[in-house]
Amino acid sequence: MLPIEVSGLKKYYGNLKAVDDISFTVKEGEVFGLLGPNGAGKTTTIEIMEGLRERDNGDVKILGFDPWKNGYELHKKIGVIPQNFTFFEKTTPREAINYYADLFHVKVDADAILREVLLEDMAKHSFESLSGGQKQKTGLALSLVNQPELLFLDEPTTGLDPNARRAIWEVIRKLKAKGKTIILTTHYLDEAQQLSDRVAIMDHGHIVAIGTTQEIIQQYGSSERLEIKGSQRLADYIRENTELQVEYNPQRGTITIPLKKRTDALASLAAAEQSGLEWSNIQTRQDSLDDVFIKLIREPLDGQEETAPEAKTDKKRRH
Amino acid sequence: MVSVKRIYADFKVFSVGYLRNKFGLFFGLIFPVVLILIFGAIFAGGGDGTVNVYAQNQDTGIFGQNIGDSFLTALNESTTIKVITINPSDNFVDFLASKSASEGIVIPPNFSAEYIAGNQVNITVYGNPASSTSGIVTGTVNGYANYFNLQRFNGTVVIGLTSATINTQQTSYVDFLIPGLIGFSILTSPMFSLVNISSEYKKAKLFKQLSLTPLTKMEWLTAKVLFYILLSAAGFLLMVGVGVFVFGVHVTLSPWLIPFLVLGPILFAALGMLVGTVTKNPETAGVIGNIITFPMMFLAGTFFPISIMPEYLQTVARVLPLFYVTEGLNNVMVYNNISAALVDIAVLGVITLVIFTLAVKLFKWRED
Ligand SMILES: Nc1ncnc2c1ncn2[C@@H]1O[C@H](COP(=O)(O)OP(=O)(O)OP(=O)(O)O)[C@@H](O)[C@H]1O
Ligand SMILES: [Mg+2]
């Protein structure tokens, strides 16, 4: 049994297809990143998996449970940080942890948990007086109280300063080292790359790419290419004197040559030198996850456009 | 399975949070007491300090003179008493009871004749020994009797006083104000608070978050209800204390008050919950909450008895759930009328059951 099995999942809000037929599985001990622009359907998907929302269609098994029907059982085994976590205003992080411990009927060392998420100095401040990042850390602390085997972290690092982000990364790495399965959404692609074993990129309720970040870059990104600065004449010269495919960008004055094999670089440079023309700034480049992400999100696949009037859906998507 | 441990955990977190919120504490406990002090100070002692006293002159007069009339006219000119004469043929004691008056004066039939003949004749003064106004009335009547005695040519004492005890006690405004304001705080604290938290928690997705723990919505609501029952009990003691020690009110404390102090907070916590649940956002919830709360606050016999309101408003008052709390509290604390209070308990019980069931049914922990 895999901890997460989702197939053919659909969720509509009226005409809006928030999640439109997605399928994926997550293995035990895996950190799985859900990426995608605002309104892609990440939170909806996560909340369905947590048993907070009812699905319209499809099969979802979380730790073997149907999350909507057997939520009460499931919840004892999962930890959750919801997007924009909030808590009772007048309650302190330490009280919150002890409250959760009482609810879950477990014994915890509240201070140890607070130390783990770097929040021990705010232990006695009321929740309303915490900064955004400290609130988020309180959420993370609470998600750990019941020692869950599966964690759902919906944008756990949004709004955190770089140190706090790294602190949370450390917590996530430690959890992974303990063998916990983690679902993570984030808008920071470097974070996804650093932490996730595999990612899925969602857009308009579809999964547009899934796999390790390396696999996704290879599949959807252009491969390694050589870039040099030079003139149109130089570009033409290289094209005529090698078998390579040469592109020229007149605005930037750059010549781009995709490299099918490493020796292609040598051949292009030899031709450039031979031409006797001016050239400079040799660079080799490869698409990053960012490039691939932007490409995938910009180029809508067939049938993915909404039928509803654009202005209206736009508003809905920006929330 | 309901877990006492979880209810207690939620109760603890909620009360600690509540006690840290100075506003909640002020409106829950201090504000009703302030209202008692203000209203009590305004209305205590009936304003100008004169006491209304019913008097019956049975004197038939002699030689065209009616000394009884003269006596009452003289009394009426005093600054302490205002005499209201009633028909000599009425049954005086029944009349006093019907007005729930605790003082009265009766001048006997042969008053003029005996006075002129110089024979001993007694005026009967009805009073309640526990009431301070009765003392004032007795004292005043006594003073005028002496004056009339001195007016006689040789100053012999002929007019005496007989006192008769009467058990009805004049309810003062403050007596009435205490149950009213206890009802007021039983309504406002849980109602405003639950309208607010149930809509704010929904907006902040706190209910969703709680649904991820083993806490059930029934346990959550129970913890809130328990808290407001304790808060109203504290408010009750505080208000009765202030009433008794500051204004010397006469209220009866009895176990029959408990059903009102328990059912009231359950009812209004559930009603607040219901408003927060069926509305879309905290702003709408606040408006709807006020539309329901304010008429009840003024019309359900909190600040003044509904008997002084026009007939149609009394009808309105009778459909307001709070009315059965204030009426019940009055029946127990002021009128000692337990059988009437039982009716209030029954009505209140039914309303509470309906509202509570509805609130629990409609209140959603998570969305679909
Ligand atoms: N309760 C709801 N009712 C109606 N529409 C909703 C509701 N919740 C979400 N949506 C819509 O569903 C779509 C997906 O929303 P979702 O919150 O899943 O996106 P997301 O990927 O988590 O976005 P973000 O990165 O901004 O958090 C959006 O267009 C959103 O407006
Ligand atoms: Mg989201």
Side-chain angles (χ1 to χ4, degrees), chain A residues 192-212:
Chain A
Q193 234 163 342
Q194 291 257 359
L195 298 173
S196 317
D197 298 310
R198 284 189 313 134
V199 301
I201 299 179
M202 285 189 77
D203 190 27
H204 287 79
H206 297 267
I207 291 182
V208 292
I210 187 165
T212 65

Side-chain angles (χ1 to χ4, degrees), chain A residues 13 16 18 37-44 53 83 155 187 316 319:
Chain A
Y13 297 112
L16 181 86
N38 293 131
K42 305 181 294 295
T43 299
T44 305
R53 270 181 202 282
Q83 184 170 1
E155 300 193 22
H187 289 293
K316 271 195 175 164
H319 72 120

Side-chain angles (χ1 to χ4, degrees), chain B residues 201-220:
Chain B
Y201 282 18
K202 188 166 70 173
K203 185 181 173 197
K205 304 195 169 171
L206 266 165
F207 284 137
K208 273 186 170 186
Q209 212 163 294
L210 291 177
S211 82
L212 294 168
T213 72
L215 185 71
T216 64
K217 61 180 184 180
M218 205 44 194
E219 290 164 352
W220 182 86

Side-chain angles (χ1 to χ4, degrees), chain B residues 264-285:
Chain B
I266 299 179
L267 167 60
F268 295 116
L271 189 58
M273 183 80 228
L274 192 60
V275 171
T277 299
V278 298
T279 46
K280 272 234 157 12
N281 53 50
E283 291 73 27
T284 321

